[in-house]
Amino acid sequence: MSKQLCQTKDTQFPCHQDEFAVPTFESLGIQTAKFSPTTPSIYFCGNSLGLMPKDVKPAVIRELDAWSARGVESHFNHPDEPVAAPWVDVDLPLLPLLAPVVGALESEVAAMGTLTSNLNALLVSFYKPKGHKTKILFEKQAFPSDYYAFVNLVKLFGYDESHLIQIEVPQNHTYLKTSLILEAIDAHKHELALVCFPGIQYYTGQLFDIETITRYAKQRDIVVGWDLAHAVGNVPLKLHDWEVDFAAWCSYKYLNSGPGAIAGIFVHEKYTKDNSPDNFAPRLAGWWGNNGQERFKMLESFDPIKSALSYRQSNPSVIDVVSLHTSLKLLHAKGGVDTLRVKSVEMTNYLLEQLQQSEFYIDQDDHKPNYGFQVLTPLNEHERGCQLSLLFKPDGLMDKVFGYLHEHAIIVDERRPSVIRLAPVPLYNTFEQVYYVVKRLNEGLDKFKP
Ligand SMILES: *Cc1c(COP(=O)(O)O)cnc(C)c1O
């Protein structure tokens, strides 16, 4: 595709970059004679931290104004609140926006806490070792935070690491085939209490077949949870229909809520719709999971809300909530994940095509020592989100290429020692930007050629 064709594609698939604050050469502190300081960067790093929607700043300032104007009274009296919820219920208007993003009923989602702490809280209540079924199946290259959660979970229950079963990407493969996961589930079905995978693998960009894996494990009486950090806002999800038991995600990646902002959980309705003080699975609980009518009576009786909200422990950060609310409204105004996914698939396919045309492209099954890069992500568009992960060879090359891209204000994500992750995000990236990223990548590789 030529640059002109890119421009045609960009007319066909609109980009909403104007709605976001995009860093510039100047704001990034990159000095060069080649570009004017106000030239925008090319930001391909939404897999790590999404850009800030411009509407977030005024929304946050309104809450600071409410705090300064009325202090504690804003919990119940918040007349100029644009989302029509006083602080005591500030997160509730998020539910109808969050539910479609993950394919859930409104009663199955909650905005709360942070990813790892939510994952820990859900693991503690859903991991129910019984008889021989005491082990957890997950992947060998899991995100470290998730690994720490699993190890410490089994230790909390008095077991050791032998209770963790990890599946590894086979030698000379770059990702994990679904069939391997199903085989492992079947082989260990008598000893597994829990299966927990990422929706999209952070390092390789592989999108797992959530539906197939979930059904397969559940047919074998195993609880199934998902870490959706890289999947939420990136690919369409149908957690309710797929009968996922629980899931957790952060919202600062593809949901653009801001660094460390409030995360989210899914708990299938079958676990909460009969919630009553007597019929209630023990969990990490707090006053915000309690019936709102009773909450401020300060009683010593816990009357859980009959929804995923019963997993909330604390009152949420209002600043976080309005930030996520603002970005979710933008996401829906631009058609939601289903619409954006169409552009996303086209754009990532285009990125892949451009990479495959590079003289430095190395095939996935070529294992000879070589100069260039290999794509680790599945080539099939149904097995990935927007991200492609590039492994640079030989060692030491990735840092140089990363530096070259950065000099040109191309913001990507490096995973030492050798991987760069490129994430063209449909909300704020364009086909033309893909064209430039690959052009600069080729220039860099040419420059550092031995
Ligand atoms: C981003 C990410 C995290 C980060 O966890 P926090 O609790 O938000 O710091 C954890 N796990 C996975 C798989 C991630 O991609």
Side-chain angles (χ1 to χ4, degrees):
M1 208 186 289
S2 68
K3 223 177 90 183
Q4 258 135 8
L5 255 168
C6 285
Q7 286 160 349
T8 314
K9 281 276 182 196
D10 282 326
T11 334
Q12 190 186 345
F13 295 104
C15 168
H16 310 290
Q17 183 161 306
D18 288 353
E19 305 277 354
F20 291 86
V22 180
T24 61
F25 276 76
E26 188 173 36
S27 71
L28 291 163
I30 304 169
Q31 281 161 4
T32 164
K34 280 200 280 183
F35 297 91
S36 96
T38 55
T39 308
S41 61
I42 297 183
Y43 194 84
F44 268 30
C45 211
N47 58 317
S48 185
L49 179 68
L51 288 180
M52 183 184 83
K54 287 178 184 165
D55 286 346
V56 164
K57 201 187 259 184
V60 165
I61 288 173
R62 272 192 298 270
E63 299 311 322
L64 297 177
D65 287 344
W67 183 20
S68 64
R70 286 179 301 280
V72 69
E73 295 192 9
S74 292
H75 276 295
F76 298 98
N77 171 11
H78 202 344
D80 51 19
E81 167 55 50
V83 300
W87 288 348
V88 68
D89 287 328
V90 71
D91 56 327
L92 300 187
L94 263 63
L95 304 182
L97 299 174
L98 209 46
V101 173
V102 294
L105 306 176
E106 282 178 36
S107 62
E108 291 175 323
V109 291
M112 59 183 246
T114 56
L115 171 54
T116 308
S117 62
N118 289 344
L119 186 64
N120 275 314
L122 290 166
L123 288 171
V124 164
S125 57
F126 280 89
Y127 174 59
K128 296 227 170 65
K130 242 193 342 259
H132 293 293
K133 287 172 88 76
T134 55
K135 297 190 179 172
I136 302 176
L137 179 78
F138 65 106
E139 36 141 19
K140 182 74 187 161
Q141 290 84 2
F143 195 93
S145 204
D146 301 41
Y147 175 79
Y148 306 144
F150 297 135
V151 176
N152 285 284
L153 177 70
V154 293
K155 289 188 176 169
L156 269 173
F157 280 75
Y159 303 125
D160 63 15
E161 276 143 43
S162 70
H163 277 66
L164 305 175
I165 303 176
Q166 290 175 271
I167 317 183
E168 194 163 8
V169 174
Q171 263 233 307
N172 293 341
H173 285 242
T174 64
Y175 60 92
L176 211 46
K177 294 247 155 52
T178 307
S179 57
L180 266 184
I181 301 173
L182 301 185
E183 279 164 32
I185 292 173
D186 206 43
H188 298 283
K189 61 179 180 235
H190 299 302
E191 45 180 1
L192 284 176
L194 182 75
V195 170
C196 194
F197 276 79
I200 289 182
Q201 219 283 348
Y202 80 98
Y203 184 79
T204 65
Q206 176 183 7
L207 167 61
F208 288 97
D209 185 342
I210 301 178
E211 181 176 16
T212 303
I213 295 167
T214 301
R215 287 207 194 291
Y216 200 80
K218 293 189 68 68
Q219 281 159 2
R220 286 154 185 78
D221 195 23
I222 303 162
V223 172
V224 188
W226 292 90
D227 180 333
L228 301 175
H230 284 260
V232 71
N234 183 3
V235 293
L237 298 163
K238 295 197 159 44
L239 301 185
H240 175 83
D241 290 349
W242 296 339
E243 295 187 50
V244 164
D245 291 306
F246 70 90
W249 57 87
C250 51
S251 57
Y252 48 78
K253 291 171 179 164
Y254 297 105
L255 291 183
N256 310 311
S257 67
I262 196 156
I265 64 158
F266 166 90
V267 175
H268 199 280
E269 66 162 355
K270 69 182 178 197
Y271 293 104
T272 57
K273 69 177 180 198
D274 298 328
N275 264 357
S276 67
D278 307 325
N279 180 12
F280 175 69
R283 70 193 62 173
L284 301 187
W287 71 326
W288 234 253
N290 198 40
N291 176 346
Q293 261 73 56
E294 302 290 308
R295 190 177 298 144
F296 293 96
K297 294 186 187 158
M298 307 319 229
L299 304 173
E300 268 191 14
S301 75
F302 186 60
D303 177 13
I305 302 169
K306 292 180 174 52
S307 81
L309 294 176
S310 58
Y311 285 80
R312 291 182 307 173
Q313 295 178 42
S314 301
N315 77 99
S317 155
V318 168
I319 303 290
D320 273 15
V321 168
V322 296
S323 174
L324 175 59
H325 194 161
T326 306
S327 72
L328 284 174
K329 279 194 291 193
L330 178 61
L331 173 72
H332 287 289
K334 301 308 177 192
V337 179
D338 288 339
T339 303
L340 292 166
R341 173 69 172 161
V342 179
K343 175 181 173 188
S344 178
V345 168
E346 287 262 340
M347 202 161 51
T348 300
N349 278 342
Y350 173 53
L351 172 61
L352 180 61
E353 273 165 37
Q354 292 290 102
L355 292 170
Q356 286 174 326
Q357 281 166 23
S358 163
E359 62 176 298
F360 303 105
Y361 180 81
I362 307 170
D363 264 352
Q364 274 186 340
D365 43 21
D366 180 349
H367 307 292
K368 294 190 288 290
N370 245 324
Y371 178 87
F373 64 87
Q374 204 165 26
V375 173
L376 298 179
T377 315
L379 302 183
N380 173 358
E381 66 190 39
H382 302 294
E383 292 181 88
R384 51 174 154 81
C386 68
Q387 171 192 327
L388 294 182
S389 304
L390 274 43
L391 175 74
F392 287 81
K393 299 176 178 190
D395 287 354
L397 176 61
M398 186 281 283
D399 268 331
K400 293 184 201 161
V401 174
F402 180 83
Y404 185 83
L405 294 177
H406 197 267
E407 281 167 27
H408 291 84
I410 293 175
I411 307 303
V412 297
D413 175 279
E414 60 173 338
R415 283 290 124 165
R416 292 217 163 80
S418 295
V419 168
I420 285 179
R421 301 183 295 173
L422 301 175
V425 169
L427 265 176
Y428 51 72
N429 290 129
T430 63
F431 287 78
E432 195 175 345
Q433 291 175 337
V434 172
Y435 172 87
Y436 276 112
V437 168
V438 180
K439 181 174 149 77
R440 298 296 177 208
L441 192 78
N442 281 324
E443 283 171 10
L445 283 161
D446 198 52
K447 179 172 172 186
F448 303 117
K449 202 161 57 177

